[in-house]
Amino acid sequence: MRTRAFTPVYRRAVLCLATALAPIGAPLLHAQDLQPAPGRHQHKPRHHGKHAAHARGDAATATPGAQVAQAAPRPRHKKKAEHASVPENLEVVGARSSAQASGIGSIEQARVLQMNAPNLINVMPQSEIEKVPNYVLGDAARRLPGASVINKSGESRSIQIRGLDPNLNGVTFEDVILPAGSINGSGRAVPLDAIPAPLAGGLELIKTNRPDQDAFALGGQLNILSRDIGPNDQPFLNISAAGGIRDPHPTRLFDGTIAGGMRFGFDSNPFDKHGGGNKPFSVSFFATALSDWLMLDDLQQKWAGTPGQGIPVKQADQLMYSGHKVRWGYGGTLGWDVDKHTKVYLKMFDSGIEAPVIKYDLTFKPGKTITMDPTLPGAYTSNSSTSLSMNDVWVHNEERVYKFGGLSDVGRFKLDYWGAWASNFLYTPYSYSASFNNANTVPVYYNNITNALRPTASAMTNLANYNSYTLSSLSNAHQNDFDGEWAGHVGASTRLDVLDVKGLLSFGGGLRMEHVTHNDPQYTYGGVPSANAGAWAGNQTYTLFNGMYNLGTPPGTQYVRQILSNPYPGLKENVAADAITTRQSFIDDNENIYNLYLQYQATWRRFGVLAGVRYEKTDGVYRGIATSVVNGKTQLAPRAVGQEYANLFPSIQLRYNFTDNLIARANWSTAIGRPGFNAVTASQTINYQNASISQGNPNLKPTTGTNFDVDLEYYLPKGGILSAGAFDKEFKNYVVNYTNYVSGYPGIPGLATVSTYANIPFASARGFELNYRQQFTVLPGFWKGFGIGGNMTFVDSRGRSRNGVFETLPNTASHIYNFEVFYIHGPLTLQFDGNYQGLTMTGLGSVPNQDSFVQPYLNFDVGARYAITRNFQLYFQGRNITNTMQNATQGSSSKNMVELQYYGSSYLFGLNAKF
């Protein structure tokens, strides 16, 4: 008898240990050889229709291996579920506190999770994600209270939480940290435009960390929930397909998603919705793709000095990006309830972007002598040199996660364990570039005063007649950057009650082992053939900004490809110079992080508390190439920088239920922001084509932060909420990026843009949040379908960055607003959303009026759905319907434009089928 009782416990303990230790041996394997898909440490239901509240309650009371949740018992009536009430005497139940659900189905379920969490979070269900056009994950995340994004080419590239730099915020998939890769410059900001929005079963915006979570979240963490199927859910299959157009250049859009799931057993029919039998196995999957033929208009200026009236520009550019971007993703989960004590799972996703893009750039550079217009100060005439450059590039950026884990009861302990592999891969098989110079200078009248955002360059001749533009340079480049990480975790929890205090003691630890490599060879050539751009003219004529600018018919890409792909007489690579440039971009970094945590979560009557501490030790080796110039010669030397430091992160998070639906919170938490790999490396990257230099600072220290939060939340029916909160974040050793403009750099004529990094001793970000959403169900008949919502975040960030003067922190936004008007009644759903992001500083200049900013912007999205039948639904989505543009400036004035991007609006019409 003793042997039979001991054996299952022994097996479960061995299973836990094997899973957690898997990452230690994992580097011996090749990532491509992995078969397991990742999973969440816990299987949660994907909720559908009337079974949603039922499934949530089962998950909250019956899931093994979980933590304390200050949650209500499963609602027995629909009305109870809508109000998401909490009983007066809070119970300690077996549910994981914040990350309760995978595949959250409704806004009501999302509110229950938010209300029951011991820490401060916001939750967005999958149903809210699909209401308006969210091409990428960042489009959905920016609508969460306190969230905003950094845009790139009209798409949400990286997330700001409470206005803070994306490099200080974490992005996770089911608690597995996603590697950032190098598309954002090898910082810590995860590229959300490589992750399609349909991938997510829900989103959690975590604003105060628990000790059992990674401490890498000075601003917060965005946790992506997978699409799962719960123990009581019926089999499902969802298919959507849509087509549409994008303007101002009418191009095509196609979008499609398929998702499904079921539970099954060997003694039951998985497709029988009314069948019984044991169903210990679960499977869910999804696949999605968005095909986008895009054309983006772009204007750029480089100022000669401090911008303003009377100061001319040194360079002006008119650019067109034309390409075909395919964004894709697929993944799924497998689950097995081994017995009533053990559950194991596999989860994974693989997503990315394939983007062949062609860029044309018509450039004007005034001569040394300029003649100012006496009637319009600031406008001028100058004999200008003109040139045309083109770049033909293919970009592949891929994000991948595999996770295996489980939950087990071992005696009085509940164990939570998993191992994971996550990676980001940026690959550019080719980047062909060619430049053509106009042999003759041309008198150009340049006017950026009449309309600062539509500067004009007028000449007596057609500047887009390329017959006088001769080939001056050819180059090619490859990019092969990899960022991969093995991770493992083992946690245990046990009930620990003291008198009337009901509590749960949790402890555990884990590790993360990250490896980053860059291999980016560049090839430049001498002896280029004699050719003119007119003779190489392609078959397409381009105009910008609704016909205001004419790029004419630039060269076709086939000519440059042919010359660089095949040996051409007289063409010779600059081998020595290319070897230097390639080595300068070399990165080979290792960063291992080991952690332990201890936390106690308890409830007493209406009070709840979560307290604990996390220990993290960072052990990193950052390898690069140090560059020096001696007697006019460039010398390179390998350099490895080692950094080792340990930190403790204590946390105390309190909550009090005044009533069932009114909750107050007060939190104190700590976190860390490690410098980006590009910031701490000794390497120096030079882009001669863009005249830019980026170099790291090996002496950087990590940024640490102490966070204070208070919040008051009142929960309304139908997923409504009214909340207000304030926060104070105090930072030490804050990392800032400095940008200077240097002349006379070897190999770069004119001004070179030099970027590097430094610590400032102290910084802060203080602000408040407001959030409101309500459907007016008290109104009669037709009118009860109407509802409104909105949230705002104000952030005042400060740091002594230059000469001891307090200034706004880089990459921070001070004002963020989201608002919505919606209608949900019968078969019809209508949604109108607005998003406003205030002035955002993106980089420090040598003096304040040379700082870089993105000007405020306001855009609107719309969505409409109509259920034809129970299974079929028509939908329409409009994105950026007001054609908002992005204006980047030097200095805070909107007139000092350095780049204006016009990416237009898009419209999709589709059909959704649910079975």
Side-chain angles (χ1 to χ4, degrees):
M1 294 295 292
R2 185 173 301 174
T3 302
R4 287 195 297 270
F6 176 76
T7 301
V9 175
Y10 176 77
R11 285 203 303 264
R12 289 193 292 272
V14 171
L15 177 61
C16 302
L17 184 61
T19 303
L21 294 181
I24 298 177
L28 301 177
L29 304 175
H30 192 278
Q32 300 293 337
D33 296 331
L34 283 178
Q35 297 300 322
R40 194 172 180 77
H41 50 275
Q42 186 169 345
H43 288 296
K44 300 298 177 188
R46 186 188 189 280
H47 304 287
H48 309 280
K50 64 183 180 181
H51 298 282
H54 222 64
R56 177 63 53 237
D58 291 343
T61 56
T63 304
Q67 299 177 8
V68 173
Q70 298 153 347
R74 172 163 60 106
R76 295 182 180 180
H77 304 288
K78 184 177 181 180
K79 184 176 181 181
K80 294 274 188 179
E82 289 174 352
H83 283 265
S85 62
V86 175
E88 291 187 6
N89 296 313
L90 300 177
E91 297 290 336
V92 177
V93 295
R96 192 177 190 279
S97 53
S98 68
Q100 183 65 246
S102 293
I104 307 169
S106 70
I107 187 67
E108 291 89 345
Q109 295 154 15
R111 291 290 183 250
V112 171
L113 294 181
Q114 179 177 337
M115 181 174 63
N116 293 339
N119 56 332
L120 189 58
I121 68 170
N122 296 103
V123 184
M124 177 180 287
Q126 207 278 331
S127 58
E128 291 295 304
I129 294 175
E130 66 184 14
K131 282 185 178 179
V132 293
N134 296 305
Y135 295 164
V136 301
L137 196 66
D139 293 342
R142 70 179 182 182
R143 305 205 309 270
L144 286 161
S148 56
V149 295
I150 297 293
N151 283 309
K152 182 68 174 180
S153 302
E155 294 182 337
S156 303
R157 168 62 61 83
S158 48
I159 189 169
Q160 297 169 303
I161 300 177
R162 291 177 163 175
L164 287 182
D165 188 336
N167 291 295
L168 302 178
N169 302 313
V171 179
T172 61
F173 174 75
E174 301 280 356
D175 297 332
V176 177
I177 290 182
L178 300 184
S182 62
I183 200 166
N184 279 329
S186 301
R188 304 280 180 170
V190 175
L192 297 180
D193 55 348
I195 305 175
L199 178 149
L203 296 175
E204 293 175 331
L205 191 66
I206 302 169
K207 296 175 180 175
T208 58
N209 277 17
R210 304 188 311 270
D212 64 337
Q213 294 175 320
D214 281 283
F216 175 47
L218 287 176
Q221 287 188 11
L222 178 69
N223 186 41
I224 306 167
L225 303 176
S226 65
R227 290 173 172 259
D228 289 354
I229 184 167
N232 297 321
D233 285 351
Q234 299 174 353
F236 71 94
L237 179 65
N238 297 340
I239 303 172
S240 64
I245 59 171
R246 177 191 282 272
D247 64 10
H249 308 279
T251 55
R252 296 164 291 168
L253 282 168
F254 292 103
D255 183 33
T257 300
I258 181 171
M262 64 180 182
R263 296 193 66 89
F264 63 95
F266 296 115
D267 60 346
S268 61
N269 180 1
F271 301 102
D272 183 2
K273 295 184 178 182
H274 306 288
N278 185 30
K279 297 180 180 180
F281 301 101
S282 64
V283 59
S284 62
F285 69 92
F286 78 91
T288 183
L290 173 67
S291 183
D292 184 0
W293 285 262
L294 60 91
M295 298 179 74
L296 185 145
D297 304 351
D298 195 347
L299 298 177
Q300 296 181 12
Q301 296 181 132
K302 289 185 178 180
W303 295 86
T306 302
Q309 195 174 63
I311 303 297
V313 299
K314 288 187 69 73
Q315 180 176 314
D317 298 79
Q318 300 171 5
L319 303 96
M320 164 61 74
Y321 296 84
S322 178
H324 178 203
K325 180 179 290 186
V326 178
R327 183 175 291 104
W328 50 269
Y330 63 91
T333 68
L334 294 172
W336 179 25
D337 299 347
V338 180
D339 54 36
K340 67 178 182 179
H341 298 292
T342 299
K343 302 176 185 292
V344 295
Y345 58 81
L346 298 167
K347 298 190 179 187
M348 66 84 60
F349 83 81
D350 191 352
S351 70
I353 296 173
E354 299 284 348
V357 177
I358 302 169
K359 179 184 75 173
Y360 294 106
D361 181 358
L362 182 59
T363 302
F364 311 87
K365 291 183 178 180
K368 294 182 179 180
T369 302
I370 63 174
T371 303
M372 302 298 291
D373 186 341
T375 64
L376 192 63
Y380 63 90
T381 300
S382 175
N383 285 331
S384 303
S385 61
T386 57
S387 61
L388 175 72
S389 63
M390 58 180 291
N391 178 238
D392 177 14
V393 63
W394 185 300
V395 176
H396 170 96
N397 187 213
E398 184 175 1
E399 194 83 32
R400 182 182 297 176
V401 176
Y402 300 88
K403 183 180 179 184
F404 165 70
L407 299 156
S408 295
D409 294 329
V410 180
R412 61 174 295 176
F413 291 95
K414 297 181 182 296
L415 301 184
D416 169 14
Y417 46 92
W418 53 262
W421 163 258
S423 66
N424 181 281
F425 179 46
L426 180 63
Y427 175 61
T428 300
Y430 61 83
S431 180
Y432 299 118
S433 297
S435 296
F436 302 83
N437 292 334
N438 191 342
N440 306 310
T441 58
V442 180
V444 174
Y445 177 73
Y446 192 78
N447 176 10
N448 63 354
I449 305 301
T450 303
N451 188 340
L453 300 185
R454 302 292 190 279
T456 57
S458 307
M460 297 297 294
T461 60
N462 179 11
L463 298 178
N465 180 357
Y466 298 125
N467 289 318
S468 59
Y469 290 68
T470 58
L471 182 64
S472 58
S473 68
L474 289 171
S475 65
N476 189 17
H478 301 304
Q479 197 165 4
N480 194 347
D481 297 348
F482 188 77
D483 184 352
E485 179 175 290
W486 295 97
H489 165 84
V490 173
S493 61
T494 184
R495 289 287 297 262
L496 183 59
D497 300 338
V498 181
L499 299 178
D500 292 337
V501 177
K502 297 182 179 181
L504 193 72
L505 179 67
S506 302
F507 54 91
L511 75 166
R512 296 193 288 118
M513 299 182 294
E514 188 169 7
H515 187 202
V516 177
T517 59
H518 289 189
N519 180 23
D520 306 330
Q522 299 187 40
Y523 310 94
T524 59
Y525 300 90
V528 298
S530 177
N532 71 73
W536 284 5
N539 55 12
Q540 187 165 357
T541 300
Y542 297 97
T543 60
L544 312 179
F545 290 82
N546 299 313
M548 186 172 182
Y549 304 95
N550 178 29
L551 278 185
T553 308
T557 59
Q558 67 273 20
Y559 300 102
V560 177
R561 290 189 181 193
Q562 182 177 358
I563 291 176
L564 293 181
S565 299
N566 302 290
Y568 192 88
L571 189 69
K572 186 177 181 180
E573 183 191 349
N574 300 317
V575 177
D578 291 344
I580 292 175
T581 305
T582 298
R583 289 192 65 198
Q584 285 175 324
S585 65
F586 170 79
I587 289 179
D588 185 4
D589 298 338
N590 290 91
E591 187 176 83
N592 298 334
I593 299 170
Y594 311 92
N595 67 78
L596 297 170
Y597 70 89
L598 175 68
Q599 73 179 31
Y600 183 67
Q601 184 177 339
T603 58
W604 180 70
R605 298 184 180 179
R606 292 180 176 271
F607 288 96
V609 61
L610 172 70
V613 63
R614 184 179 183 88
Y615 168 82
E616 288 191 356
K617 180 183 178 182
T618 305
D619 186 3
V621 179
Y622 310 96
R623 306 172 189 87
I625 301 296
T627 303
S628 60
V629 179
V630 180
N631 297 326
K633 294 184 178 180
T634 302
Q635 296 185 356
L636 307 178
R639 182 178 181 184
V641 178
Q643 289 196 356
E644 184 176 345
Y645 48 89
N647 303 87
L648 288 175
F649 302 101
S651 174
I652 300 176
Q653 311 201 34
L654 307 174
R655 55 172 286 160
Y656 181 78
N657 280 62
F658 291 101
T659 67
D660 287 356
N661 296 322
L662 180 61
I663 301 173
R665 302 179 188 270
N667 300 332
W668 171 65
S669 59
T670 51
I672 190 171
R674 297 175 181 86
F677 293 100
N678 61 330
V680 76
T681 184
S683 288
Q684 180 185 65
T685 302
I686 302 176
N687 188 320
Y688 290 99
Q689 181 182 359
N690 297 330
S692 62
I693 303 163
S694 177
Q695 56 191 31
N697 179 359
N699 298 316
L700 283 179
K701 300 177 182 178
T703 302
T704 55
T706 302
N707 310 316
F708 304 92
D709 296 84
V710 292
D711 197 64
L712 186 64
E713 305 162 0
Y714 183 68
Y715 291 87
L716 302 168
K718 290 285 186 179
I721 190 172
L722 175 62
S723 67
F727 56 89
D728 180 1
K729 297 176 177 289
E730 303 293 327
F731 307 116
K732 293 183 179 179
N733 298 315
Y734 195 90
V735 177
V736 294
N737 173 230
Y738 285 99
T739 300
N740 295 309
Y741 299 93
V742 178
S743 61
Y745 195 90
I748 298 180
L751 289 177
T753 304
V754 180
S755 299
T756 189
Y757 304 86
N759 287 113
I760 57 176
F762 302 101
S764 65
R766 305 180 180 113
F768 63 87
E769 293 179 358
L770 301 175
N771 185 26
Y772 171 67
R773 187 185 192 273
Q774 184 175 14
Q775 184 173 347
F776 301 117
T777 55
V778 296
L779 297 177
F782 167 84
W783 301 101
K784 68 180 180 181
F786 281 100
I788 61 173
N791 58 74
M792 72 158 293
T793 304
F794 169 76
V795 183
D796 179 25
S797 65
R798 287 288 182 266
R800 293 183 184 272
S801 52
R802 285 174 299 214
N803 301 320
V805 178
F806 277 105
E807 298 176 293
T808 301
L809 297 177
N811 284 318
T812 60
S814 59
H815 295 81
I816 306 160
Y817 304 97
N818 290 287
F819 49 90
E820 62 174 333
V821 178
F822 59 90
Y823 182 81
I824 306 172
H825 188 61
L828 181 63
T829 299
L830 301 174
Q831 189 81 19
F832 177 82
D833 282 14
N835 173 258
Y836 173 85
Q837 185 165 323
L839 186 69
T840 303
M841 178 194 278
T842 56
L844 290 172
S846 55
V847 293
N849 53 19
Q850 291 185 356
D851 292 343
S852 300
F853 289 87
V854 172
Q855 293 296 310
Y857 64 88
L858 172 66
N859 72 288
F860 299 96
D861 300 329
V862 297
R865 291 178 177 266
Y866 185 82
I868 307 171
T869 68
R870 181 179 179 181
N871 301 108
F872 294 95
Q873 189 180 64
L874 291 173
Y875 66 90
F876 162 77
Q877 294 179 340
R879 186 171 188 265
N880 190 30
I881 60 175
T882 51
N883 280 321
T884 299
M885 305 181 195
Q886 181 170 295
N887 179 21
T889 60
Q890 182 176 321
S892 59
S893 172
S894 62
K895 295 182 179 180
N896 303 333
M897 183 266 289
V898 294
E899 183 174 22
L900 182 68
Q901 289 190 341
Y902 181 24
Y903 35 81
S905 56
S906 59
Y907 305 91
L908 280 172
F909 304 83
L911 176 67
N912 187 39
K914 296 185 177 182
F915 304 98

